Amino acid sequence: GSSPFVEAAAIWILLRCPTMADKSELKAELERKKLRLAQIREEKKRKEEEKKRKDGDFKKETHSASQDELDLERKRKETEALLQSIGITTELSIVHSPISPSNKSLGTPSESESQESVEGTVGARHHLQKLGIARITHVDIAPCERLAHCKETQTPVVAKPDEAKEELAVPMKASTAAETETPEATQGETKEEAQATQLDLTKEEKENILHSDGFLSFFDQTSRMIEQALTEHADIFFDYSGRNLDDKEGEVQAGAKLSLNRQFYDENWSKDRVVTCLDWSQQYPELLVASYTNNEDALNEPDGVALVWNMKFKKTTPEYIFHCQSKVMSACFAQFHPNLMVGGTYSGQIVLWDNRSNKKTPVQRTPLSAAAHTHPVYCVNVVGTQNAHNLVSVSTDGKLCTWSLDMLSQPQDSIELVHKQSKAVAVTSMSFPLGDINNFVVGSEEGSVYTACRLGSKAGIFEMFEGHQGPVTGVHCHTAAGPVDFSHLFITPSFDWTVK
């Protein structure tokens, strides 16, 4: 029932206004065109950058080529200058690029003739070189002068009256002979005399040399070697077959197997002193260290002395002399350290000597404190391996301490040796079985022998042996290795005149 006017308006509106679908299509098309335009711009920018990079590379190559040409020209000039400096003159040939026949034919006859003449001159310059005569300079270099010093014994020589007269007569003859000698000989003699006078030292300089560490070390070493050589006596008539013992009785012949070989005694250091301990060096079996107590008659001498004796040479003096301010009750060579000797003193201190030092006093010592020993130390021993070893010491108060040879300021560990909750064991000797660093055997003042261990939760004494009626003076475990194990055996001497 609508009018024709309304229908026409509706048709016009539909024709003029697009639908929603048409709008979305237009929008999508617009987006695609924008994206394409951005791609075109990006491609154009990339091409411009590539072009700029290519232009830069070309400029660099051109610059490097020109630089190479400049370097070549500089080297050529340096070579030419060097040749001219040694007297050789050269003319550099000019090399032209070859001209093809076509180029020659294209030119005029006058041009071709000029080109041929240029090529001829270039070829002549290329093959012919002018050589000059070099000047030779002869130079003589004198050798370095070597100074020879005259080695003489700088000791004053007291001439006798008869010798003085002879010496007065000899210079007269020498002076007449010197007059006939050439001047060079006299100059050589004057030089030698000047050197001889320069070797003379003043009294102060001689005293400084005599008291220097280097001279003392040298004199000590050489005097020991000379003494060994002078005191060595060998019996060249000894018969190893034993024929000289055939006429003797069997009892005497049997007793000859055990005879007195050496006696070690020094009047200055051994007199009126008691030997308290002996120990052999494992590195040098001919060396023996002995510890001594004090000499009551010599109040100015040290109370404790340790002497190292040599069994190899027939010398009457000790190899090394060490001392300290307390009586030395025990001494041993430090295993794995051939130059060190350890000593246990009556005061409770442990001292360490070094034969590489010029001093005879200890290089290290433990402090006198409750953490260490306060009673006499009768036993010192180094146990362990080459890379892990310790010094073990025990005193008469039953205290066992473990030390490091590098630091004796305080013990690494300490235990009390007590048997069945009784009083402490007064230890007088100690020994470790072969290859064992934990278990050990100790002897005591009351005559009993104890086995103990120093590591673990049950460290201390765990077994007792009663066999002596007096103090045990020593204990030693069986150390001979063989097919049968005897490491459980040990030997003990005592004041009761028995050895068990």
Side-chain angles (χ1 to χ4, degrees):
S2 60
S3 63
F5 178 77
V6 175
E7 292 178 357
I11 292 170
W12 183 82
I13 290 172
L14 290 173
L15 291 175
R16 295 290 296 175
C17 298
T19 62
M20 294 298 294
D22 294 338
K23 287 183 178 180
S24 61
E25 290 179 1
L26 290 173
K27 189 174 182 181
E29 182 68 22
L30 184 60
E31 291 294 332
R32 284 195 295 272
K33 289 182 179 181
K34 288 181 179 180
L35 182 61
R36 179 61 180 168
L37 182 61
Q39 290 178 354
I40 292 171
R41 288 176 178 173
E42 186 178 356
E43 184 70 21
K44 184 177 179 182
K45 185 178 180 181
R46 185 177 59 79
K47 289 182 178 181
E48 290 178 355
E49 290 178 355
E50 288 181 358
K51 184 177 180 182
K52 290 179 180 180
R53 187 170 61 254
K54 288 181 180 180
D55 293 342
D57 294 342
F58 178 74
K59 290 180 180 179
K60 288 181 181 179
E61 291 178 358
T62 307
H63 179 71
S64 62
S66 61
Q67 187 67 27
D68 292 342
E69 291 179 359
L70 291 175
D71 293 342
L72 184 60
E73 182 67 19
R74 180 174 53 79
K75 291 179 180 178
R76 183 184 63 78
K77 291 181 179 179
E78 290 178 356
T79 305
E80 184 178 357
L82 180 62
L83 292 174
Q84 289 179 359
S85 65
I86 61 176
I88 300 176
T89 57
T90 59
E91 294 183 3
L92 297 176
S93 59
I94 302 173
V95 181
H96 293 275
S97 58
I99 301 174
S100 61
S102 59
N103 292 336
K104 290 183 180 180
S105 60
L106 292 174
T108 58
S110 60
E111 291 176 353
S112 61
E113 290 176 1
S114 62
Q115 288 176 359
E116 289 176 358
S117 62
V118 169
E119 287 179 4
T121 57
V122 170
R125 291 181 181 178
H126 181 72
H127 293 290
L128 298 178
Q129 295 181 353
K130 294 182 179 180
L131 301 178
I133 299 175
R135 184 175 58 183
I136 299 175
T137 304
H138 184 72
V139 179
D140 291 332
I141 300 175
C144 297
E145 183 180 359
R146 295 185 179 181
L147 299 177
H149 299 281
C150 180
K151 298 181 180 179
E152 296 179 351
T153 305
Q154 300 178 5
T155 53
V157 179
V158 179
K160 296 180 180 180
D162 296 336
E163 294 177 352
K165 293 179 181 179
E166 295 178 358
E167 290 177 357
L168 290 174
V170 170
M172 295 296 294
K173 298 179 180 178
S175 60
T176 55
E179 293 175 358
T180 58
E181 291 180 353
T182 59
E184 294 136 359
T186 56
Q187 290 178 2
E189 289 179 359
T190 54
K191 287 183 179 179
E192 291 179 359
E193 290 176 0
Q195 292 176 1
T197 54
Q198 289 175 2
L199 292 175
D200 292 338
L201 301 176
T202 62
K203 186 176 180 180
E204 184 180 357
E205 291 175 345
K206 292 178 181 178
E207 290 293 331
N208 293 335
I209 293 175
L210 290 176
H211 292 86
S212 63
D213 293 339
F215 179 80
L216 291 176
S217 177
F218 164 77
F219 186 77
D220 181 57
Q221 182 180 6
T222 52
S223 60
R224 193 180 298 115
M225 294 172 61
I226 295 300
E227 186 180 14
Q228 292 172 358
L230 292 176
T231 57
E232 184 67 20
H233 300 287
D235 184 10
I236 61 175
F237 300 104
F238 182 78
D239 189 0
Y240 289 95
S241 64
R243 279 177 235 166
N244 55 348
L245 300 176
D246 292 342
D247 299 335
K248 297 182 180 180
E249 296 180 1
E251 185 178 355
V252 178
Q253 187 173 355
K257 295 181 180 179
L258 183 62
S259 60
L260 178 62
N261 185 14
R262 295 286 303 279
Q263 181 178 356
F264 298 104
Y265 179 81
D266 187 88
E267 185 68 23
N268 296 327
W269 297 103
S270 303
K271 185 178 180 180
D272 297 331
R273 295 180 184 267
V274 179
V275 179
T276 57
C277 185
L278 298 174
D279 187 62
W280 297 92
S281 173
Q282 296 188 7
Q283 284 79 11
Y284 304 105
E286 66 271 16
L287 296 183
L288 169 70
V289 61
S291 59
Y292 300 83
T293 58
N294 62 329
N295 182 1
E296 295 180 356
D297 297 333
L299 300 178
N300 295 327
E301 294 182 0
D303 288 344
V305 175
L307 305 179
V308 179
W309 300 96
N310 196 327
M311 288 282 294
K312 186 176 180 181
F313 301 102
K314 307 294 183 180
K315 54 185 295 187
T316 58
T317 58
E319 193 77 16
Y320 296 101
I321 301 172
F322 303 108
H323 53 76
C324 63
Q325 296 303 320
S326 180
K327 293 182 287 186
V328 182
M329 311 307 298
S330 59
C332 73
F333 285 95
Q335 193 178 6
F336 314 113
H337 299 276
N339 303 107
L340 301 181
M341 271 77 59
V342 183
T345 64
Y346 188 81
S347 64
Q349 276 189 323
I350 296 174
V351 294
L352 187 69
W353 296 290
D354 192 342
N355 61 10
R356 294 169 295 185
S357 175
N358 292 328
K359 299 189 301 181
K360 297 180 180 180
T361 55
V363 295
Q364 281 196 76
R365 65 181 72 204
T366 60
L368 290 172
S369 64
H373 297 294
T374 55
H375 285 64
V377 178
Y378 281 95
C379 315
V380 287
N381 201 346
V382 178
V383 296
T385 61
Q386 176 70 39
N387 299 323
H389 51 270
N390 297 102
L391 171 64
V392 180
S393 61
V394 62
S395 55
T396 54
D397 60 349
K399 191 171 187 179
L400 184 142
C401 297
T402 303
W403 309 83
S404 172
L405 291 175
D406 297 330
M407 184 182 66
L408 297 180
S409 59
Q410 61 181 0
Q412 293 181 339
D413 188 19
S414 62
I415 59 174
E416 298 288 340
L417 299 179
V418 180
H419 180 62
K420 292 183 179 180
Q421 305 300 324
S422 61
K423 63 178 182 179
V425 177
V427 179
T428 57
S429 55
M430 176 181 62
S431 178
F432 282 80
L434 180 64
D436 198 338
I437 63 173
N438 183 25
N439 301 305
F440 58 94
V441 184
V442 294
S444 63
E445 287 183 350
E446 64 268 16
S448 300
V449 181
Y450 302 90
T451 57
C453 64
R454 66 185 187 93
L455 303 175
S457 59
K458 296 182 179 181
I461 294 175
F462 54 83
E463 191 174 0
M464 181 180 70
F465 300 88
E466 294 181 353
H468 291 288
Q469 303 301 320
V472 178
T473 57
V475 60
H476 187 70
C477 294
H478 196 289
T479 57
V484 182
D485 185 16
F486 294 108
S487 61
H488 60 285
L489 302 179
F490 56 90
I491 187 172
T492 57
S494 174
F495 277 176
D496 62 359
W497 297 84
T498 61
V499 177
K500 298 183 179 181

